[in-house]
Amino acid sequence: PPPRPSQRMATLEDLHEDVLAEILCHVPGKDLILNCRLVCRLWRELVDRTHIWKEKCIRERAFKRNFHFTTPNDWMKLYFIPLAVNLIKNPSAEEDFRFWSIDESGGDDWKVETLPGGHGQNHPNKILNKYFVTSYQLCRKSQIIDLSTHGLWSSLLDFIQPKIVVSDWYAARHDCGCVYALEVELLSKDRTAICSYKSEEITIPQWSDAKWNQITHVFENYGPGVRYVHFSHEGRDTQFWAGWYGVRVTNSSVTVEL
């Protein structure tokens, strides 16, 4: 039956805050920050507490309950940051050159080969099957990562500024020398460089051990405004041999960390 005029319908204001907190645990994280915090003082205090974000990490990100951080806000950071997820698409040539922009294709152009390749060695990561290889003149390829498509929205990047970790693997053939270089830029909304890293030109001599080498750089405290990551690597051989005797690259990665 319909309520009597003297009766008042129950609303969210009548809920105990523990029950309200449990309901808020099921609200999408971005809505909690952009909408729920603005409802009233109580809702803002609940959203800012550890409980909701810890529960969301456990339920949605599969973290264990005994996983601890030093400050309450760390659970919120952990929820939003795609930890240990490689933001580079097709990092190991499994899809040929899909998602990569070929900026320089000197000599006989880029090529994809299967590990270990001629006069090469297997990669330490046994799961990898392929690599990109350069020719006798400069070969460069790149990829631009839109951080917003990976859940890293502007306020998070501007104020929390999580670490952006860049890594790449490169190797030479045993019978031919090569050169390699890595360049990464953090770009603004209009694609202006805010922060950048450029390695030295690394030369591997002929008759090397042909082992795979890793290069890593960590961006920290890069300031507000970062929206994209521009990843670029390049190389060639040192003997000027026709074919694909230049540096080999694979397992490129861009990850975000606390």
Side-chain angles (χ1 to χ4, degrees):
R4 297 176 182 176
S6 59
Q7 292 180 325
R8 185 175 67 85
M9 295 292 291
T11 67
L12 286 175
E13 295 178 358
D14 299 311
L15 294 177
H16 189 279
E17 65 177 59
D18 289 344
V19 178
L20 179 57
E22 183 63 25
I23 294 174
L24 292 175
C25 285
H26 297 274
V27 176
K30 191 171 183 178
D31 289 333
L32 284 175
I33 297 296
L34 298 181
N35 299 314
C36 295
R37 288 187 80 256
L38 305 180
V39 171
C40 63
R41 180 179 178 181
L42 173 60
W43 284 44
R44 183 176 67 251
E45 290 177 351
L46 288 175
V47 171
D48 288 346
R49 292 178 188 174
T50 302
H51 172 74
I52 288 178
W53 299 106
K54 184 174 182 179
E55 286 300 311
K56 290 183 74 61
C57 283
I58 292 168
R59 293 176 182 180
E60 301 175 29
R61 302 291 299 276
F63 282 89
K64 297 180 180 179
R65 289 189 177 274
N66 61 357
F67 192 84
H68 293 291
F69 279 88
T70 58
T71 63
N73 285 339
D74 284 336
W75 282 103
M76 182 176 69
K77 294 180 186 179
L78 187 65
Y79 176 80
F80 284 111
I81 296 175
L83 297 176
V85 175
N86 188 1
L87 307 184
I88 291 278
K89 295 180 180 180
N90 187 26
S92 304
E94 293 297 336
E95 300 177 81
D96 202 47
F97 290 97
R98 188 183 180 193
F99 302 115
W100 290 95
S101 296
I102 304 301
D103 305 315
E104 295 283 349
S105 53
D108 290 319
D109 304 332
W110 285 90
K111 186 183 180 183
V112 171
E113 294 182 345
T114 302
L115 282 161
H119 293 270
Q121 293 201 25
N122 281 313
H123 193 277
N125 185 344
K126 302 302 180 182
I127 298 177
L128 299 180
N129 297 310
K130 297 182 179 181
Y131 59 85
F132 304 98
V133 59
T134 60
S135 190
Y136 59 87
Q137 290 182 333
L138 185 64
C139 294
R140 181 190 302 116
K141 64 183 179 69
S142 63
Q143 193 169 139
I144 294 182
I145 299 166
D146 182 349
L147 296 173
S148 67
T149 64
H150 298 279
L152 295 162
W153 35 292
S154 57
S155 296
L156 186 76
L157 291 165
D158 291 344
F159 298 107
I160 295 178
Q161 295 180 29
K163 296 176 184 177
I164 298 177
V165 182
V166 179
S167 176
D168 202 17
W169 287 82
Y170 62 94
R173 293 172 58 105
H174 171 64
D175 61 346
C176 187
C178 67
V179 295
Y180 163 86
L182 170 68
E183 183 173 8
V184 184
E185 296 178 313
L186 304 187
L187 307 178
S188 66
K189 183 178 180 180
D190 62 1
R191 308 294 178 92
T192 300
I194 292 177
C195 190
S196 63
Y197 164 77
K198 187 173 184 178
S199 73
E200 62 180 356
E201 185 176 82
I202 300 170
T203 300
I204 301 177
Q206 188 180 26
W207 312 120
S208 70
D209 56 17
K211 288 184 178 179
W212 285 91
N213 304 281
Q214 184 180 24
I215 183 171
T216 301
H217 179 75
V218 181
F219 289 100
E220 297 182 82
N221 303 316
Y222 38 79
V226 172
R227 299 293 180 268
Y228 300 91
V229 177
H230 180 228
F231 180 102
S232 174
H233 53 194
E234 63 183 47
R236 57 179 173 79
D237 77 16
T238 57
Q239 308 299 119
F240 208 72
W241 289 348
W244 298 274
Y245 293 85
V247 70
R248 301 166 171 185
V249 292
T250 193
N251 203 27
S252 308
S253 70
V254 173
T255 57
V256 180
E257 300 180 3
L258 290 174

